[in-house]
Amino acid sequence: MHDKILILDFGSQVTQLIARRVREANVYCEIHPNDVGEAFIREFAPKGIILSGSHASTYEDHQLRAPQAVWDLGVPVLGICYGMQTMAVQLGGKVEWSDHREFGYAEVRAHGHTALLQAIEDFSTAEGHGMLKVWMSHGDKVTELPPGFKLMASTPSCPIAGMADEARGYYAVQFHPEVTHTVQGTALLRRFVLEIAKAKPDWVMKDYITEAVARIREQVGDEEVILGLSGGVDSSVAAALIHRAIGDQLTCVFVDHGLLRQNEGQLVMDMFVGRLHAKVIHIDASDQFLGQLTGESDPEQKRKIIGREFVEVFQAEAKKLSNAKWLAQGTIYPDVVESGGTASKKATIKSHHNVGGLPKTLGLKLLEPLRELFKDEVRELGVALGLPPEMVYRHPFPGPGLGVRILGEVKREYADLLRRADAIFIEELRNTRDTASGKTWYELTSQAFVVFLPVKSVGVMGDGRTYDYVVALRAVQTSDFMTADWAELPYSLLKKVSGRIINEVRGINRVAYDVSSKPPATIEWE
């Protein structure tokens, strides 16, 4: 059994970043709503507990409290932002509204030489005070320490920016160590998890394969499994893992919905049939999907239509495979979190077509071997399973495919134009190296793609007038996909991509570059 850290979520949009930082320390953790039962917490048996931030105030929402078991269990507890405030209130301190809110960069002075912050600093002042560069996001503040606590950190506008009761292993910070803007945040979380909670760093993907294979075999027994293979990283790794476990008991169904990337179908078949020798049924359902999408321009409705059609295709195939008792999916942990599957206080960001609803419709049991993994862990697992790095480390691709990269109504003509333009952009990113780092621009960007705009503009080619479509290039750099900056691609690269698209893709005569960051924009346009 792995040592575990329990993260109780009070509704912060960045809670899953806490989990990612803990996993990066090779310690297993899970996110659960703050109001889980006390019996669950005891049964979970965590080595330590982390309380997340929240949009709420402790004096407004009295339901947002940590269960009493958190304090009775006798394990170290770390409170972050709201987590610090609820710790203060529940243990006898005070929290009040602040007339000086802090959002963004701040410099925090460390006090007291606590085990959590000992020797962790970004710089020191002339007086010798250790300072941390952090990211704040709060409107309330702790104004009175609970009994037994001492001051651990402060800012001029927040005199209690950190507190500790080291006898009980309770620590709390008003800033957010989980976000990249807090320079020493990873070091702080590693210190809490590995040294204070003393969790063993035994969560390693190459070792996880043995556990996962044994679990799949135990779940499935001698029954058969059907899996929807999309060509994306998640479904590909799920297929490789399940095939490792049960071989020919797995049948993959690869559905071409007409919204895949260029040559995607051939690449998938070559990999899974040619190299892994898996059973794959290849279905061209592009007419069905594109027909159902006709006239629909709302992004959420397009996602739901594509999800619904997948269900129909699987129902048809499942009937042919009478021995199939399980439906396997490439659901990963962020899918579960974003779809409201773990945090009841958080608003749903967008629906995911591979989360929820399918098992009842299909009459099959659900197998989700990646459900507890983050994307970076899925990639590590894929390499460990022998999938080629160029497949595993591809940029993220949405489940609905090009359907949400074509703004408005989806048409076959638009998909064909977009596919070719996107292939050119990705090819040039892979072929162009940054002189400073030596890496390709594909490696230096976290996600890059082309968006089709259903508008036409006037152009001139040769001596003739054109009236053709417009596409936008999108490339971002991010470490966590919660925030992202647009990539400052070289003008020479943009010039080459634009020239090739306009010259090689008849029907496009204008190329734009998206220079908006997240927030306020999102990475995908829909």
Side-chain angles (χ1 to χ4, degrees):
M1 289 289 292
H2 296 283
D3 284 350
K4 296 179 287 189
I5 298 293
L6 174 62
I7 301 167
L8 293 182
D9 184 19
F10 291 86
S12 169
Q13 292 291 354
V14 293
T15 298
Q16 63 173 282
L17 294 187
I18 303 172
R20 284 193 58 190
R21 301 292 171 255
V22 173
R23 298 275 188 94
E24 287 166 4
N26 300 117
V27 174
Y28 184 72
C29 64
E30 289 182 12
I31 301 170
H32 290 278
N34 73 285
D35 55 1
V36 292
E38 303 211 2
F40 169 84
I41 293 175
R42 292 191 182 91
E43 188 177 331
F44 191 84
K47 295 287 287 185
I49 298 172
I50 299 176
L51 311 178
S52 85
S54 175
H55 60 281
S57 295
T58 55
Y59 47 79
E60 288 177 348
D61 193 336
H62 296 286
Q63 301 304 310
L64 283 177
R65 295 288 185 266
Q68 185 58 37
V70 169
W71 318 114
D72 295 342
L73 210 58
V75 301
V77 181
L78 173 64
I80 295 173
C81 194
Y82 181 91
M84 169 170 160
Q85 294 167 11
T86 197
M87 181 186 288
V89 169
Q90 291 185 248
L91 298 181
K94 286 185 181 177
V95 172
E96 296 177 7
W97 174 82
S98 174
D99 58 3
H100 188 103
R101 299 188 303 169
E102 287 184 299
F103 291 95
Y105 176 80
E107 293 180 354
V108 171
R109 175 186 165 187
H111 296 265
H113 302 289
T114 60
L116 185 66
L117 297 183
Q118 182 72 40
I120 295 178
E121 64 179 47
D122 290 305
F123 66 97
S124 57
T125 65
E127 298 80 19
H129 302 313
M131 303 293 291
L132 295 169
K133 298 177 179 179
V134 305
W135 190 67
M136 290 277 199
S137 179
H138 69 102
D140 301 334
K141 61 184 179 181
V142 176
T143 55
E144 185 179 311
L145 291 169
F149 279 76
K150 67 178 180 179
L151 182 66
M152 184 170 68
S154 68
T155 70
S157 60
C158 186
I160 304 176
M163 62 183 194
D165 178 344
E166 298 203 271
R168 289 186 284 180
Y170 296 164
Y171 298 85
V173 292
Q174 188 58 66
F175 55 88
H176 286 266
E178 69 271 31
V179 301
T180 54
H181 303 75
T182 297
V183 179
Q184 299 293 337
T186 297
L188 185 156
L189 288 168
R190 289 179 66 90
R191 172 74 58 80
F192 176 76
V193 168
L194 297 174
E195 298 179 30
I196 294 173
K198 295 183 169 27
K200 293 193 298 289
D202 59 0
W203 181 250
V204 182
M205 284 303 99
K206 63 181 177 61
D207 300 331
Y208 175 74
I209 292 174
T210 303
E211 292 176 37
V213 163
R215 192 184 310 154
I216 291 166
R217 287 174 178 165
E218 183 180 352
Q219 267 188 284
V220 172
D222 59 0
E223 295 176 334
E224 294 193 9
V225 178
I226 181 172
L227 177 142
L229 189 59
S230 70
V233 174
D234 302 335
S235 69
S236 296
V237 174
L241 179 61
I242 296 168
H243 186 258
R244 172 77 65 93
I246 60 173
D248 283 349
Q249 289 170 249
L250 170 68
T251 299
C252 297
V253 178
F254 175 51
V255 179
D256 183 350
H257 50 27
L259 300 167
L260 298 172
R261 289 169 284 197
Q262 189 153 291
N263 300 324
E264 186 101 55
Q266 192 57 51
L267 290 171
V268 169
M269 297 302 288
D270 288 348
M271 179 67 223
F272 285 91
V273 178
R275 290 181 58 175
L276 292 184
H277 309 297
K279 289 195 294 186
V280 181
I281 299 169
H282 189 176
I283 300 170
D284 182 355
S286 56
D287 289 342
Q288 177 179 338
F289 280 84
L290 293 170
Q292 290 296 322
L293 288 165
T294 299
E296 183 56 67
S297 58
D298 179 76
E300 187 68 5
Q301 289 305 313
K302 289 195 291 185
R303 288 176 180 275
K304 288 180 178 177
I305 288 168
I306 291 169
R308 183 190 71 211
E309 295 309 306
F310 263 107
V311 172
E312 288 199 8
V313 171
F314 276 117
Q315 281 178 321
E317 289 306 313
K319 287 175 183 174
K320 299 175 190 175
L321 300 166
S322 56
N323 293 326
K325 305 299 181 188
W326 294 84
L327 169 70
Q329 294 185 154
T331 308
I332 65 173
Y333 205 37
D335 296 339
V336 177
V337 173
E338 287 189 7
S339 293
T342 64
S344 58
K345 306 299 185 296
K346 193 195 285 67
T348 297
I349 297 166
K350 65 177 74 165
S351 65
H352 288 264
H353 74 273
N354 59 335
V355 180
L358 294 180
K360 290 179 183 176
T361 310
L362 291 162
L364 298 173
K365 294 176 282 188
L366 188 60
L367 181 64
E368 294 179 313
L370 310 181
R371 188 181 175 89
E372 59 194 14
L373 304 184
F374 284 100
K375 178 73 81 172
D376 47 356
E377 295 172 320
V378 172
R379 295 186 196 280
E380 288 178 37
L381 179 62
V383 171
L385 285 164
L387 293 177
E390 59 270 23
M391 170 183 273
V392 171
Y393 283 95
R394 281 197 302 181
H395 290 176
F397 188 63
L402 302 181
V404 290
R405 291 179 178 172
I406 297 169
L407 300 197
E409 184 181 4
V410 177
K411 296 181 180 180
R412 190 182 294 274
E413 172 198 3
Y414 297 169
D416 290 341
L417 291 172
L418 177 55
R419 222 185 317 274
R420 291 157 61 200
D422 189 75
I424 289 170
F425 186 31
I426 299 303
E427 181 183 337
E428 292 302 335
L429 287 171
R430 289 187 183 278
N431 290 342
T432 308
R433 291 191 179 274
D434 171 54
T435 51
S437 66
K439 293 183 177 180
T440 69
W441 275 102
Y442 187 82
E443 295 172 297
L444 291 172
T445 51
S446 309
Q447 195 164 353
F449 53 91
V450 178
V451 179
F452 182 87
L453 311 182
V455 295
K456 287 188 172 185
S457 72
V458 174
V460 178
M461 298 189 77
D463 295 325
R465 173 188 182 275
T466 61
Y467 188 56
D468 289 327
Y469 291 107
V470 182
V471 294
L473 310 180
R474 179 70 160 145
V476 299
Q477 294 173 315
T478 177
S479 60
D480 53 31
F481 289 90
M482 293 292 180
T483 61
D485 292 321
W486 60 275
E488 296 185 28
L489 300 179
Y491 288 156
S492 57
L493 172 56
L494 291 172
K495 182 178 181 179
K496 187 172 185 181
V497 171
S498 175
R500 282 196 60 193
I501 290 174
I502 291 169
N503 283 308
E504 297 177 30
V505 185
R506 187 179 295 274
I508 296 172
N509 72 351
R510 193 175 297 269
V511 177
Y513 187 48
D514 181 351
V515 292
S516 44
S517 294
K518 177 186 179 181
T522 53
I523 295 174
E524 296 280 353
W525 280 39
E526 288 195 338

